[in-house]
Amino acid sequence: MINKKQLSLLVLFGAMLMNSAKAQLNIGVDAGITYNQLQFKSNNPDLKLSKRTGYLVNINVSKQLSKWITIEATPGIIQKNYTVQNKHNIYQDINNTYLHLPLDIKYEISLLKPLKLSAALGMYYAYWLESNISGIAPNVFNIANNAEGDELIQLENIKSNYKFNATQDNRSEFGWLAKVGLSYRILKNVSCSLKGHYYQSISDQQKQSNEFQSPKYNQTFATTIGLAYDLK
């Protein structure tokens, strides 16, 4: 869940956008589920990466440039989670939370009078706020022997907050985005929406330390619902 620090950052960025210019015409909030895949080429055939769900919360501030074109800024908090597992069922669930700052150009057409279809393309910057790890790992300090005398390493549950390494971890992420959406006007100045999001990072999750290190990229899908208020 969003903690107080993350919520404060989100509210601050939203307030900055709303106060930046009187020309802002539409303000809204989106929330939903993310599905993230870490794109990583591993040399270990026994290692498997899997998608995991997370959450996305955005504040939307947009300005209509023409009848069909809108510029949109959507600061928010997004999770980009994944699971690492080997053939022995030893795994780690990794939850990564980012401050997300997307900017896009949206094309919007009316299907019916209250119903609109939109598609958007843009770029984003994300700052890696925190990472939490949970799962099952071997305990090398708790070793037992079976009847044949073989050593057996016991497994235990783990849960911890990852401590960032300034020389290895790249906490700034850049990428491009695409969105499609349907919005329906339910009152004169209020509309609801359903959106699909796609975010593809173009920057490595880690700083390259040697030529044998494989880059890691986040590929994130999201589905959100939202409400918006038209100020014009």
Side-chain angles (χ1 to χ4, degrees), residues 70-205:
T70 298
I71 186 169
E72 185 177 48
T74 56
I77 301 294
I78 187 171
Q79 279 196 327
K80 303 185 178 188
N81 305 333
Y82 58 92
T83 296
V84 181
Q85 184 175 2
N86 67 14
K87 65 178 182 179
H88 303 293
N89 293 323
I90 296 173
Y91 71 91
Q92 289 184 348
D93 291 334
I94 301 176
N95 297 335
N96 297 317
T97 305
Y98 291 77
L99 175 66
H100 210 215
L101 304 173
L103 183 66
D104 62 70
I105 299 294
K106 180 171 68 175
Y107 178 77
E108 192 171 52
I109 58 173
S110 294
L111 299 179
L112 300 171
K113 188 174 182 180
L115 183 65
K116 291 184 178 181
L117 173 68
S118 65
L121 285 173
M123 303 292 291
Y124 73 87
Y125 168 77
Y127 183 74
W128 197 357
L129 292 174
E130 64 179 12
S131 182
N132 299 310
I133 301 172
S134 60
I136 296 176
N139 184 349
V140 296
F141 300 103
N142 187 6
I143 300 176
N145 293 338
N146 61 15
E148 288 76 26
D150 298 325
E151 289 186 344
L152 299 176
I153 298 178
Q154 302 297 311
L155 300 179
E156 65 176 14
N157 294 322
I158 59 170
K159 189 172 184 179
S160 64
N161 294 325
Y162 177 72
K163 294 183 179 180
F164 290 105
N165 187 322
T167 61
Q168 295 181 6
D169 297 315
N170 185 11
R171 299 184 69 176
S172 290
E173 179 179 297
F174 297 90
W176 63 273
L177 67 93
K179 292 189 288 187
V180 293
L182 285 172
S183 64
Y184 187 85
R185 188 169 295 277
I186 53 179
L187 296 173
K188 181 179 179 181
N189 293 324
V190 179
S191 60
C192 60
S193 63
L194 174 66
K195 298 177 184 176
H197 309 242
Y198 175 77
Y199 302 98
Q200 176 63 58
S201 69
I202 58 175
S203 58
D204 193 350
Q205 193 185 62

Side-chain angles (χ1 to χ4, degrees), residues 43 167-168 204 206-215:
N43 295 323
T167 61
Q168 295 181 6
D204 193 350
Q206 292 185 322
K207 299 175 181 178
Q208 292 290 89
S209 58
N210 59 67
E211 60 180 323
F212 302 106
Q213 183 177 350
S214 178

Side-chain angles (χ1 to χ4, degrees), residues 14-29 59-64 70 116 185 187-191 227-232:
M16 290 172 62
L17 286 172
M18 288 185 283
N19 292 328
S20 62
K22 294 181 180 180
Q24 304 294 355
L25 298 177
N26 190 279
I27 300 172
V29 177
I59 293 175
N60 301 321
V61 181
S62 62
K63 178 182 182 299
Q64 191 169 358
T70 298
K116 291 184 178 181
R185 188 169 295 277
L187 296 173
K188 181 179 179 181
N189 293 324
V190 179
S191 60
L227 286 175
Y229 182 78
D230 197 345
L231 296 177
K232 63 182 179 179

